[in-house]
Amino acid sequence: EAGVTQSPRYAVLQEGQAVSFWCDPISGHDTLYWYQQPRDQGPQLLVYFRDEAVIDNSQLPSDRFSAVRPKGTNSTLKIQSAKQGDTATYLCASSLRLGSAETLYFGSGTRLTVL
Amino acid sequence: QQKVQQSPESLTVSEGAMASLNCTFSDGTSNNFRWYRQHSAKGLEVLVSIFSDGEKEEGRFTAHLNRANLHVSLHIREPQPSDSAVYLCAVSSASNTNKVVFGTGTRLQVLP
């Protein structure tokens, strides 16, 4: 069974540039999460979906970050006008079913550096 | 707002010696606890899940939960150099099982 796939693995930007991250969750998992992990910190939840619906995006900086999961499968996280403070690893995770306390399965992440 | 803290920040042990990691949480209604391992530049892999007070063993990894003390620990038996990684505690509550809060991690180094 394929795991969670993310791309790209790395991204380097100048401040003000835009970037998109892509995630393909495990087949059949209805819940998808995006986490931000600054260096030497634990992952911090940005947003999560059940199928195509956003369940909680309260931690997503809405002025510059956006996330979609249009068909309830793959997802894209986009940062408009990146700042140096956005430098972090962006992790995508999926779980089988919302509300079932299932294990989260993580991709390898996208390491973003904003110069 | 759930707070999850881990100690120590870093730990060095010799191969074969027991490694013990600690995690405290602030929400007494928490009922879903997992320990993850993160090797450098890789994603997280789950090691052990525990949902009730007591002990849960998965191979060389044992979690101990004491919800009255707001504490969960991880013990690694006979650690190997390949166990060198960052270990993360993850906690969620019954009211929102999908909102998982992670600690800041313990960096473990196992010396041969």
Side-chain angles (χ1 to χ4, degrees):
Chain A
E1 178 184 87
V4 176
T5 304
Q6 291 187 245
S7 66
R9 287 298 308 275
Y10 303 94
V12 181
L13 307 175
Q14 299 289 333
E15 272 200 322
Q17 290 186 307
V19 64
S20 293
F21 310 131
W22 180 82
C23 175
D24 186 6
I26 293 173
S27 178
H29 281 196
D30 72 1
T31 309
L32 184 147
Y33 309 78
W34 284 102
Y35 281 84
Q36 180 191 59
Q37 185 178 22
R39 186 176 175 84
D40 294 330
Q41 294 186 35
Q44 296 155 16
L45 181 66
L46 291 173
V47 59
Y48 69 99
F49 298 83
R50 179 184 183 178
D51 297 324
E52 68 278 3
V54 173
I55 303 302
D56 186 343
N57 63 358
S58 59
Q59 302 305 309
L60 195 67
S62 58
D63 58 333
R64 297 184 300 109
F65 286 64
S66 62
V68 295
R69 193 185 183 199
K71 297 182 180 179
T73 52
N74 302 338
S75 177
T76 303
L77 176 69
K78 184 173 183 177
I79 306 176
Q80 301 267 27
S81 190
K83 298 182 179 180
Q84 287 188 354
D86 299 331
T87 293
T89 297
Y90 290 83
L91 295 165
C92 178
S94 68
S95 64
L96 185 59
R97 216 168 35 252
L98 184 70
S100 62
E102 296 278 348
T103 298
L104 271 60
Y105 294 89
F106 283 83
S108 298
T110 296
R111 184 172 290 188
L112 173 67
T113 301
V114 183
L115 303 174
Chain B
Q1 181 93 353
Q2 173 84 271
K3 301 289 184 190
V4 179
Q5 294 187 307
Q6 291 185 237
S7 63
E9 284 188 15
S10 64
L11 177 64
T12 300
V13 300
S14 297
E15 185 174 1
M18 177 77 79
S20 296
L21 289 65
N22 298 295
C23 175
T24 59
F25 51 96
S26 61
D27 183 352
T29 68
S30 300
N31 66 344
N32 187 329
F33 306 87
R34 289 186 169 90
W35 284 95
Y36 287 83
R37 178 169 67 184
Q38 186 175 30
H39 285 108
S40 180
K42 293 188 179 179
L44 284 66
E45 61 170 321
V46 62
L47 300 172
V48 59
S49 305
I50 187 166
F51 308 112
S52 57
D53 284 347
E55 179 179 300
K56 177 77 177 298
E57 182 177 315
E58 295 283 357
R60 295 184 295 108
F61 302 96
T62 301
H64 290 264
L65 174 62
N66 183 327
R67 286 198 291 173
N69 289 344
L70 303 176
H71 182 261
V72 58
S73 60
L74 177 69
H75 304 273
I76 306 173
R77 180 169 42 87
E78 298 178 358
Q80 309 295 315
S82 59
D83 292 322
S84 298
V86 174
Y87 289 77
L88 293 159
C89 172
V91 182
S92 62
S93 65
S95 61
N96 193 341
T97 58
N98 292 95
K99 201 154 188 177
V100 177
V101 179
F102 285 84
T104 53
T106 292
R107 185 174 297 276
L108 175 67
Q109 183 175 21
V110 183
L111 301 176

